[in-house]
Amino acid sequence: MSPLPLPEITPDTPAAPKAARARRIAVVLFNLGGPDRLEAVRPFLYNLFRDPAIIGLPAPFRQLVAHLISSRRDKVAQGIYQTLGGGSPLLPNTLAQAQALEQQLWDAGTVRVFVSMRYWHPFSDAVAHDVKDWEPDELVLLPLYPQFSTTTTASSLKDWQRAAKAAGLTAPSRSICCYPDEPGFVAAVAKLIRAGLEEAAPHGKPRVLFSAHGLPEKVVKGGDPYQFQCERTAQAVVKSLRVENLDWVSCYQSRVGPMKWIGPSTDEEIRRAGQDRVPVVVVPIAFVSEHSETLVEIEHEYRHLAKEVGVPYFVRVPAVGVEPSFILGLAGLVRQALIRTAGGPVMCGTGLRLCPAGKAGCPQPASGA
C-alpha cells in the first residue's frame, strides 16, 4: 500500500493548537537570613535592628540605634559565626528545604520554590524580580516560622508585598501565616525528641525544654500571638509523644537588652534542672533550620551551662530541617492554599483562626468578624 500523501503546508495553513500550559506555581519560603561571611555580620545586624518590627522608633532614631547596636555587637557576633566556620548555615539549609518541597509538589503543576531572606541575601527585592521573570500563574507565600509573630512573619510578608509591588509582580498570591500544630511538623519534632529521650534516659528521668526565641514582654502584651502559638506547639508535640508523666516546660532563649522578656528563660530552666539533678533534652521548637541559635547558643553555651550547674546529661535535639514528615506537611499547606476559594489572602495552617480574640496581632479575623 502506498503511503498517504502529506498535506501541503502554505503560509495560510492554520497552526496546530498548542497544548495547554501547566499551571505555574511559585512558592516563596521566608526565613530570617544570616551573614554568609564575617564581613557581613555588621550589616546583617544593622538590617535586623533597623526593622520597625524589631525597634519601634521613628526612622532616624531607629537607624541610629541600629548603627550603635550593630557596632557594639559586631565583634561578639563575629566570634559566634567563626564557631560556625565563618558564616551562617541558614541559607544552605533553607535551600535544601526548598528543593525537598519542590520535589514533594511534583504533581501540583509546574512548581518552583524560591527562598527570600529578611535581613541578608537573597533579599525580597531580588527574589521578587526572579519570581516575576519566571511568570507564575499564582504564588503561595510560606514563612518558615511555624508560629506567627509581628516581628518575624508579619515583617517578612510586609517586606515582600513592598518588593513585589516594586517589581510589578501581579500574579495572585495566598499567604500562610502560621502552622504551630501542623501534623507533619509535630510528627517531625516528636520523632527527633524520642531519639533524644532515649539517649538521655540512662542518666535519669529527662526533662524536655521546648526552647523558642524570646520576645520582649510588651510585644506579647500588645497582642502578638507568638507565645500562645509556641506553647500550642509544645502541647501538640507532648500529646504526640504519648510519654506517660513526661517532664516538660516551654521556655525562651536569646534574651537581649534591659527590657523584660517573656519567660521562663531557657538558661533559668537549665539551672533548675541542675538543682533537680535531671538530664535535659533541649528542643528548638520555633526553629526549623539550624543556625546560630541552635548550633552555638544551645549546642555550646547551654551545654556548657548545663555542665557548670550540675545537669547530669544534656541533649540538643536537631531542628526538623528536611525531615520527610515536615516537608510533607509544608506541601500539604501549599496544596491547601491552592485549592482554597473562601477567605482572604492570608490563611492559617488550620484553615481557621486559632488565636484567642485578644490577640490583636493575629492577621486572621476574629470569629464573627
Side-chain angles (χ1 to χ4, degrees), residues 287-299:
F287 306 122
V288 301
S289 310
E290 304 290 9
H291 61 309
S292 61
E293 276 87 350
T294 63
L295 299 177
V296 177
E297 188 171 15
I298 295 178
E299 176 61 33

Side-chain angles (χ1 to χ4, degrees), residues 143 145-148 153 157 175-179 346-349 363-364:
Y145 311 112
Q147 304 88 7
F148 180 89
T153 303
L157 292 177
S175 305
I176 297 165
C177 66
C178 61
Y179 44 99
V346 179
M347 60 171 281
C348 175
Q364 295 291 307

Side-chain angles (χ1 to χ4, degrees), residues 261-279:
W261 283 50
I262 57 175
S265 68
T266 305
D267 54 349
E268 288 170 351
E269 286 300 322
I270 291 173
R271 289 188 174 90
R272 185 168 73 90
Q275 292 172 355
D276 296 341
R277 292 295 185 267
V278 295

Side-chain angles (χ1 to χ4, degrees), residues 16 68 308 334 369:
L68 291 173
E308 189 177 73
V334 172

Side-chain angles (χ1 to χ4, degrees), residues 22-35:
R23 182 169 61 160
R24 293 169 71 86
I25 300 160
V27 179
V28 184
L29 298 182
F30 296 98
N31 214 329
L32 184 79

Side-chain angles (χ1 to χ4, degrees), residues 102-116:
E102 195 171 288
Q103 293 171 351
Q104 188 62 49
L105 292 167
W106 64 272
D107 60 339
T110 302
V111 179
R112 182 170 172 187
V113 182
F114 297 80
V115 169
S116 179

